[in-house]
Amino acid sequence: MSRLLHRDTVPPVPAAEVTARSADGARIHVELHGPEDAPAVVLAHGWTCNTRFWDAQIRDLAADHRVIAYDQRGHGLTPEPGPGGYSTNALADDLEAVLAATLAPGQKAVLAGHSMGGMTVIAAASRPGLREHAAAVLLCSTGATRLAAEALVLPLRAGALRTRLTTAVLGAKAPLGPVNPVSRKILKYATMGRGSAPDRVDACARIVHACPRRARVEWGHVLGELDLAAGVRALRVPTAVIAGTDDRLTPPVHARAIADALPVGLGLTELTGMGHMTPVEAPEAVSAKIRELVTRYVTTGAAATAEKEDVA
């Protein structure tokens, strides 16, 4: 039975909720889970999702981690921004604001980003806030450039026509409509592996269909023109990559390119049969990788710092 549903049909209750203020004044909704003095993990969700996308990771990690999850602008409980508020620079601003609002000066955390959340981390690679607070990074099912050209959602031969049509799909203004058997089937085909359990498909469908149309469309335009290749090369913290072998939105070619270009790469984990929604489709694998990064780069680093202070 899925860990996302069954006993998990009720969302995790945050220990606290705060509002971070971004550079343009935008209000970013942030949830804090778990012990305040535990090693910190920051979760950034993807396009058309919200903090509920991370419920399985929150439940797994909050017992012994301080889990910080936030709604990207225009998603969940974070309001839609004003004119000019949709850009990768805005995503980086928001992440810096969340880190400043939830972590003490110099406090380190593992940052995990899925899809557009991973792009957020990449966009912030050169930012002082990320360099101050990021001990390590996990990029899940994401890409840095050529998203429309490489996507496999449309069953067409690679080329200008497929790229143009995929770009149009990303920015489509048509409403998604209610969650029903047809919409679940479409979402599963586009974003999840063929073997995904029905309850996980339903959970993803309800999250995606709850995204406001304007935010979906505006961010879709941003994704269609994305070019963060320079950000990957600037991400100078230990970074692991996870991808599903059956991902149609950001096929493994993206993960391989990112893993090859990272200055401090920790390797690529390809999850056989999984699609784009890896934190939901393979929650145990994603949580385990986050724990591994915390143990290696946050817990150990904190112990080493304390030991040096004792010696001094």
Side-chain angles (χ1 to χ4, degrees):
M1 178 64 70
S2 167
R3 299 185 69 178
L4 185 71
L5 296 178
H6 190 47
R7 71 175 179 85
D8 302 335
T9 51
V10 177
V13 178
E17 296 177 88
V18 301
T19 298
R21 284 282 182 179
S22 195
D24 62 356
R27 295 183 291 109
I28 311 300
H29 174 75
V30 188
E31 296 181 3
L32 307 176
H33 298 262
E36 187 174 356
D37 58 352
V41 173
V42 179
L43 305 176
H45 68 74
W47 180 47
T48 72
C49 295
N50 57 52
T51 56
R52 297 284 63 79
F53 187 79
W54 295 107
D55 278 359
Q57 284 69 46
I58 292 171
R59 292 187 189 282
D60 279 347
L61 298 171
D64 53 356
H65 295 75
R66 184 64 159 179
V67 182
I68 300 160
Y70 71 99
D71 285 323
Q72 301 269 22
R73 54 176 58 201
H75 296 74
L77 297 178
T78 294
E80 296 179 21
Y86 293 93
S87 69
T88 55
N89 281 334
L91 293 176
D93 287 341
D94 296 350
L95 177 56
E96 278 200 299
V98 170
L99 297 176
T102 58
L103 300 175
Q107 182 182 0
K108 297 294 186 179
V110 167
L111 277 52
H114 169 259
S115 191
M116 193 174 81
M119 298 164 199
T120 300
V121 176
I122 295 170
S126 298
R127 297 294 186 92
L130 185 134
R131 293 185 172 178
E132 177 184 0
H133 293 294
V137 166
L138 176 61
L139 300 175
C140 299
S141 308
T142 194
T145 188
R146 293 178 52 81
L147 297 187
E150 301 288 359
L152 302 175
V153 174
L154 299 179
L156 300 172
R157 181 180 302 176
L161 175 61
R162 191 182 75 180
T163 299
R164 186 164 62 251
L165 292 177
T166 301
T167 301
V169 169
L170 290 173
K173 295 182 179 180
L176 294 182
V179 176
N180 57 40
V182 173
S183 63
R184 280 192 290 266
K185 186 174 182 179
I186 293 171
L187 179 130
K188 180 180 179 180
Y189 166 80
T191 69
M192 304 181 78
R194 286 186 288 273
S196 295
D199 56 352
R200 299 190 186 193
V201 176
D202 185 70
C204 284
R206 293 185 185 284
I207 289 169
V208 170
H209 282 242
C211 181
R213 189 193 314 188
R214 179 168 176 257
R216 172 171 56 83
V217 172
E218 294 292 343
W219 284 121
H221 289 313
V222 172
L223 299 181
E225 301 175 357
L226 190 78
D227 187 358
L228 293 173
V232 176
R233 296 189 295 271
L235 191 55
R236 298 186 177 278
V237 297
T239 301
V241 183
I242 281 181
T245 60
D246 292 353
D247 187 342
R248 289 188 172 94
L249 276 180
T250 54
V253 62
H254 291 291
R256 293 167 193 155
I258 289 172
D260 288 343
L262 286 167
V264 194
L266 300 176
L268 165 62
T269 301
E270 295 193 30
L271 302 174
T272 302
M274 299 299 153
H276 184 67
M277 303 301 209
T278 46
V280 173
E281 295 179 79
E284 294 86 359
V286 173
S287 295
K289 182 59 69 173
I290 293 172
R291 283 185 176 277
E292 176 187 324
L293 294 174
V294 170
T295 300
R296 185 173 176 184
Y297 294 102
V298 179
T299 307
T300 303
T305 299
E307 184 176 325
K308 289 181 181 178
E309 290 176 350
D310 289 341
V311 171

